[in-house]
Amino acid sequence: MSTQDKVIAILAEQAVLEPSDVTLDSTLEDLGIDSLGLVESIFAIEEEFDVSIPFNANEPENSDFNISNVAAIVEGIDKLILKKA
């Protein structure tokens, strides 16, 4: 399973949607994921990929991690995985 598929599965589970309902253009708002859901999604992604996401839920605007849409999240995870390697 690719990074993209895993991230989509995690976000779909959090949003109580089918993975097929989640597109790369989907925003967290589109998916109905609120701030608590975002934090839970980040924890699940960190655990799945053994990475630490540089995101502060208390100050999301000051984050170096782009969560504007699913594609940006996948791209960010891929970069963190490459840094770790």
Side-chain angles (χ1 to χ4, degrees), residues 21-68:
D21 295 331
V22 178
T23 68
L24 291 175
D25 292 331
S26 298
T27 66
L28 298 177
E29 185 177 318
D30 292 341
L31 300 174
I33 296 176
D34 61 12
S35 59
L36 178 59
L38 170 60
V39 171
E40 291 176 0
S41 297
I42 287 174
F43 287 149
I45 290 168
E46 288 178 331
E47 186 175 311
E48 175 69 34
F49 296 101
D50 191 30
V51 295
S52 181
I53 297 175
F55 183 81
N56 182 341
N58 294 322
E59 297 179 353
E61 66 281 352
N62 293 333
S63 176
D64 288 336
F65 193 81
N66 183 351
I67 60 164
S68 61

